[in-house]
Amino acid sequence: GPADMAPEVWEKVKNHPCYSEEAHHYFARMHVAVAPACNIQCNYCNRKYDCSNESRPGVVSEKLTPDQAIRKILAVAKEIPQLSVIGIAGPGDSLAAGGRNTFATFEQLQKKAPDLKLCLSTNGLALPDHVERIAQYNIDHVTITINMVDPEVGQHIYPWIFHGHRRWTGLDAAKILHERQMLGLEMLTARGILVKVNSVMIPGINDEHLLEVNRQVKARGAFLHNIMPLISDPAHGTQFGLTGQRGPTAQELKVVQDACEGGAKLMRHCRQCRADAVGLLGEDRGAEFTIDRIEAMG
Ligand code: CLF
Ligand code: SF4
């Protein structure tokens, strides 16, 4: 592995297509959309479609039960030998609703296909409650979507969160979410679990602030920082879409990414996958492997 990487880290990175730019040419990932619920509201989300943390809006993912997900994964693993990672990234939050479906899927998978790496993506609100189980099921890769480290910024991104049996709004909501995200990040990195931070760049809201996000997540041990452009689509009715909030241009995105050089290492090959994507990054073979087709094959 590279000189600047400890051998145990390299072991976790070398065949993960998102954590290693090199690996993404050779190794495939598969998402199973077993997590429909969410515990917060992001202004860039439309609940009818995928968690827009990672997914382009407009197409509904194939929602699966944990049992269906296992059948689908085992069938796909036979057909795609490069498959190395199973991720749960929506269509809601993987740890909302107690993470029930997420952990039910990973628990079985760990027994039935121990060679596949497990990966999950979360907004972080429920993360501190689940670090123990994440470690227990050998989930080596966790992505947290962190769009701010300052509740003043956060209040323009998150209209509400649901936490501790009640709904919070405004600055209170953003403050709780921020504290939970930082705590979850620290707890994971303290256990040697690799953490990638995704940030959605929202012009005029958090674009300049993302340098501070980069600095703070680096200080807490994040392995990678993935700054992604907001995909704002009024046709799909996101809050930001309705207010006319635009996404950044490629040039604006690059300026912010370049300004972060020297901080937490940046991921630059993200393809903003759907919550049911299958295959190499940038290809989506999901349509070949719908659960109907798999169950028809027996
Ligand atoms: Fe999936 Fe995400 Fe795991 Fe990768 S995707 S849960 S870390 S296995 Fe990868 Fe897709 Fe970008 Fe995500 S290219 S959207 S960063
Ligand atoms: Fe939507 Fe994801 Fe935000 Fe939940 S965390 S509101 S699913 S974008």
Side-chain angles (χ1 to χ4, degrees):
D4 61 344
M5 213 180 274
E8 66 275 16
V9 175
W10 176 241
E11 271 311 306
K12 292 178 183 173
V13 165
K14 67 179 186 198
N15 54 3
H16 194 303
C18 305
Y19 283 68
S20 158
E21 173 141 33
E22 177 68 13
H24 98 271
H25 299 292
Y26 308 104
F27 294 99
R29 56 79 184 95
M30 169 177 183
H31 289 165
V32 282
V34 295
C38 194
N39 47 10
I40 70 175
Q41 178 70 63
C42 305
N43 273 328
Y44 52 76
C45 181
N46 180 325
R47 290 294 177 74
K48 282 212 290 286
Y49 302 101
D50 283 343
C51 175
S52 348
N53 288 342
E54 299 221 11
S55 306
R56 291 175 180 279
V59 195
V60 182
S61 282
E62 182 186 52
K63 292 193 183 74
L64 303 175
T65 65
D67 288 342
Q68 288 174 323
I70 297 294
R71 286 202 291 281
K72 182 169 171 178
I73 291 163
L74 297 177
V76 168
K78 272 194 215 150
E79 298 295 319
I80 304 184
Q82 307 98 309
L83 184 69
S84 64
V85 181
I86 305 302
I88 297 181
D93 186 75
S94 64
L95 300 178
R100 211 159 39 93
N101 286 358
T102 295
F103 290 118
T105 304
F106 282 160
E107 185 181 14
Q108 281 195 60
L109 198 54
Q110 198 189 212
K111 292 180 195 140
K112 294 196 169 142
D115 293 341
L116 292 172
K117 287 181 186 298
L118 309 182
C119 191
L120 66 81
S121 176
T122 176
N123 61 45
L125 180 64
L127 181 56
D129 303 334
H130 297 296
V131 169
E132 208 60 51
R133 284 176 98 189
I134 289 171
Q136 185 191 330
Y137 296 141
N138 297 317
I139 301 164
D140 277 338
H141 300 84
V142 174
T143 295
I144 315 173
T145 300
I146 300 178
N147 297 319
M148 54 86 196
V149 289
D150 177 354
E152 296 282 344
V153 175
Q155 66 181 337
H156 302 295
I157 304 174
Y158 305 102
W160 57 259
I161 67 167
F162 196 85
H163 178 68
H165 308 287
R166 60 163 282 202
R167 189 180 287 241
W168 302 79
T169 58
L171 268 179
D172 293 337
K175 185 166 181 287
I176 294 167
L177 180 62
H178 165 60
E179 286 168 359
R180 302 279 293 173
Q181 289 176 333
M182 296 297 118
L183 178 61
L185 170 56
E186 286 168 3
M187 290 171 77
L188 290 171
T189 57
R191 287 171 176 270
I193 294 166
L194 292 189
V195 181
K196 174 164 71 57
V197 169
N198 280 2
S199 299
V200 180
M201 179 178 162
I202 310 160
I205 305 248
N206 71 350
D207 42 356
E208 291 169 8
H209 180 63
L210 289 178
L211 270 82
E212 183 59 19
V213 173
N214 182 273
R215 205 183 60 77
Q216 290 207 24
V217 301
K218 183 185 184 182
R220 290 175 174 82
F223 179 78
L224 263 184
H225 189 195
N226 174 23
I227 301 179
M228 310 183 296
L230 169 74
I231 303 167
S232 184
D233 186 347
H236 293 102
T238 67
Q239 285 308 308
F240 275 148
L242 294 173
T243 60
Q245 172 67 52
R246 64 176 182 87
T249 64
Q251 180 59 24
E252 286 168 330
L253 179 67
K254 188 173 179 301
V255 166
V256 168
Q257 288 175 331
D258 289 348
C260 290
E261 283 302 337
K265 197 170 150 238
L266 290 187
M267 173 185 187
R268 296 213 192 215
H269 63 287
C270 178
R271 305 303 287 266
Q272 294 182 275
C273 316
R274 291 168 45 138
D276 61 358
V278 178
L280 295 172
L281 294 195
E283 83 176 357
D284 190 351
R285 299 179 58 186
E288 295 168 48
F289 300 104
T290 61
I291 196 69
D292 290 349
R293 287 191 178 190
I294 286 163
E295 291 184 340
M297 279 156 34

